[in-house]
């Protein structure tokens, strides 16, 4: 072999060897169900940006919003199968994985979004982040959406107004019990199906946050909204333990720091959206928004609160007490 040929072979061999030593980029597929304009949608994009900036060439996040890839039910299975690596479903959708997160669905438990943040950043909230670990799911942080409101094609002013109405709910037994407590007819349904179900009359009403009501246009197909603030919509940013444990330690550390930063921004976006989106819906004028007096709120709370006792064993009284303590801060 000539010297030139020998050199060429050596170069090719060394290039092949060094490229095989270079770590492959880790791709994190993040699937969620809301639009990009929601607090969760913006936070997912922000996470993608920070990862692109700080872990360039090592990690990449691909975001799939608006149930493009998976809906509520499928995404958790996909996480465990390794088909996606991140999701941020509502805590109401984890009944098959842990009963403890039912806490967030207890009606009239949290006074407002600040009380929710007080709980999620406190000792009980942080411990609860691991509630689904036995099922292979790792909670990485809580993301807020906001307080939920009720709607139907009739005014819902007193609890008896809900009697017989078909309400879409997320897949939560606590939410089912909440609507049964007012003699309504709850129907578990994926988020992506709600608009059509409302517009075709398959369901009569729903509960959600101003952000989701605006971005999914539910206000265009419901005549009456009640500003009830009766519950909270809170997410958990979740991955599979298997995927997380497969990451190098330095990547875990950097990702954790990024998630902390994104979580702070997400909370701020959620608090802003609660006001901006409500104002937008009011100004749009498609629907009436009813405000309840203290007395009317107390009537709904009285009828719905017995649900707490029903689920106290699953959720833990200590967690309920810690949440209640946050209402006083
Ligand atoms: C819903 O299903 O109503 C919400 O959980 C959707 C979401 O992710 O905000």
């Amino acid at each position: 072999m000539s010297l030139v040929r020998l050199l060429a072979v050596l170069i090719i061999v060394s290039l092949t060897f060094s490229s095989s030593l270079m770590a492959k980029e880790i791709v994190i597929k993040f699937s969620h169900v809301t639009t990009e304009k929601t607090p969760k949608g913006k936070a997912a994009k922000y996470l993608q940006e920070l990862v692109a900036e700080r872990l360039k060439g090592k990690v990449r996040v691909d975001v799939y919003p608006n149930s493009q890839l998976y809906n509520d039910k499928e995404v958790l299975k996909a996480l465990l199968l390794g088909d996606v690596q991140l999701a941020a479903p509502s805590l109401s959708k984890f009944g098959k994985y842990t009963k403890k997160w039912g806490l967030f669905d207890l009606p009239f438990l949290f006074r407002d979004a600040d009380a929710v943040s007080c709980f999620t950043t406190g000792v009980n909230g942080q411990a609860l982040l691991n509630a689904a670990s036995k099922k292979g799911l790792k909670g990485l942080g809580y993301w807020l959406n906001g307080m939920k409101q009720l709607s139907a094609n009739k005014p819902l002013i007193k609890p008896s107004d809900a009697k017989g109405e078909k309400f879409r709910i997320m897949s939560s037994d606590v939410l089912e019990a909440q609507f049964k407590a007012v003699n309504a007819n709850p129907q578990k349904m994926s988020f992506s199906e709600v608009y059509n179900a409302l517009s075709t009359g398959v369901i009569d009403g729903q509960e959600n946050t101003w952000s989701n009501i605006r971005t999914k246009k539910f206000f265009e197909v419901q005549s009456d909204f009640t500003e009830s603030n009766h519950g909270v919509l809170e997410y958990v940013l979740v991955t599979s333990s298997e995927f997380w444990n497969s990451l190098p330690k330095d990547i875990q550390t950097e990702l954790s720091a990024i998630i902390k930063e994104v979580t702070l921004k997400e909370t701020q976006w959620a608090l802003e959206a609660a006001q901006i989106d409500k104002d937008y819906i009011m100004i749009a004028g498609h629907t009436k928004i009813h405000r309840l007096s203290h007395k009317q709120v107390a009537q709904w709370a009285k009828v719905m609160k017995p649900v707490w006792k029903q689920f106290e064993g699953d959720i833990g009284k200590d967690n309920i007490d810690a949440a209640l303590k946050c209402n006083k801060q």
Side-chain angles (χ1 to χ4, degrees):
M1 197 187 290
S2 73
L3 192 59
V4 175
R5 273 191 126 193
L6 182 66
L7 268 176
V9 170
L10 280 175
I11 287 169
I12 289 167
V13 168
S14 78
L15 277 179
T16 315
F17 186 64
S18 62
S19 74
S20 74
L21 276 185
M22 260 170 49
K24 241 177 86 195
E25 188 179 51
I26 298 162
V27 178
I28 297 179
K29 287 191 188 170
F30 186 167
S31 167
H32 70 86
V33 298
T34 62
T35 75
E36 288 181 305
K37 294 200 170 130
T38 58
K40 175 160 66 181
K42 288 196 223 169
K45 290 302 271 180
Y46 188 44
L47 180 70
Q48 179 181 44
E49 277 164 34
L50 292 190
V51 167
E53 210 176 280
R54 299 185 196 162
L55 289 168
K56 197 170 189 299
K58 293 187 191 164
V59 184
R60 190 183 86 223
V61 176
D62 293 341
V63 183
Y64 301 88
N66 221 2
S67 310
Q68 240 171 53
L69 206 53
Y70 294 108
N71 72 20
D72 309 316
K73 234 209 225 135
E74 301 158 348
V75 79
L76 293 172
K77 285 188 209 144
L79 260 186
L80 290 171
L81 288 172
D83 293 336
V84 294
Q85 290 70 34
L86 265 186
S90 157
L91 286 150
S92 316
K93 295 176 182 172
F94 287 86
K96 286 209 178 83
Y97 302 89
T98 173
K99 299 277 177 220
K100 289 206 180 304
W101 287 342
L103 174 92
F104 293 89
D105 288 334
L106 294 179
F108 296 99
L109 177 66
F110 292 104
R111 191 193 51 199
D112 55 20
D114 287 343
V116 180
S117 294
C118 156
F119 177 81
T120 52
T121 52
V123 178
N124 287 66
Q126 286 300 301
L128 218 54
L129 206 45
N130 297 318
S133 62
K134 281 203 187 104
K135 299 279 182 180
L137 293 172
K138 182 173 175 62
L140 296 168
Y142 293 103
W143 283 5
L144 176 72
N145 186 313
M147 303 308 285
K148 289 183 293 185
Q149 320 301 337
L150 288 169
S151 75
N153 285 317
K154 62 183 272 198
L156 298 170
I157 309 299
K158 31 184 209 319
S160 57
D161 295 332
K163 188 174 173 193
E165 292 284 293
K166 278 186 249 153
F167 284 94
R168 177 268 172 169
I169 53 164
M170 296 180 271
S171 57
S172 153
D173 292 347
V174 181
L175 295 179
E176 190 169 51
Q178 167 195 280
F179 278 106
K180 283 191 172 159
V182 292
N183 297 311
N185 185 356
Q187 317 262 327
K188 292 180 180 172
M189 187 181 283
S190 279
F191 187 54
S192 55
E193 291 166 21
V194 181
Y195 180 89
N196 273 345
L198 285 173
S199 61
T200 55
V202 168
I203 47 170
D204 305 310
Q206 60 85 48
E207 55 159 18
N208 224 309
T209 60
W210 292 122
S211 164
N212 281 342
I213 291 163
R214 174 188 176 176
T215 52
K216 283 295 198 176
K217 301 188 168 50
F218 299 160
F219 68 100
E220 292 182 0
V221 286
Q222 293 275 265
S223 66
D224 292 81
F225 280 79
T226 301
E227 193 172 12
S228 51
N229 293 312
H230 63 282
V232 65
L233 174 56
E234 178 81 4
Y235 306 121
V236 58
L237 183 67
V238 69
T239 186
S240 79
S241 312
E242 193 181 335
F243 172 70
W244 186 259
N245 294 336
S246 75
L247 295 173
K249 281 278 165 298
D250 59 325
I251 303 271
Q252 283 182 357
T253 308
E254 186 61 54
L255 275 178
S256 300
I258 291 173
I259 287 167
K260 250 195 187 152
E261 211 172 312
V262 174
T263 299
L264 285 178
K265 265 259 188 252
E266 199 277 344
T267 306
Q268 191 191 323
W269 282 324
L271 294 172
E272 285 165 11
Q275 191 57 51
I276 294 170
D277 292 335
K278 179 177 123 189
D279 290 349
Y280 179 92
I281 293 163
M282 267 168 65
I283 291 164
H286 286 285
T287 184
K288 290 189 244 11
I289 299 182
H290 306 284
R291 275 196 197 92
L292 298 179
S293 66
H294 288 304
K295 205 169 149 202
Q296 285 162 337
V297 172
Q299 285 172 345
W300 284 88
K302 189 172 170 216
V303 185
M304 286 181 164
K305 266 188 176 180
V307 164
W308 295 16
K309 264 274 166 269
Q310 197 180 329
F311 293 92
E312 189 182 279
D314 288 337
I315 291 166
K317 186 163 183 323
D318 57 326
N319 289 320
I320 297 177
D321 289 344
L324 289 175
K325 223 167 150 192
C326 281
N327 287 341
K328 298 198 186 107
Q329 311 245 321

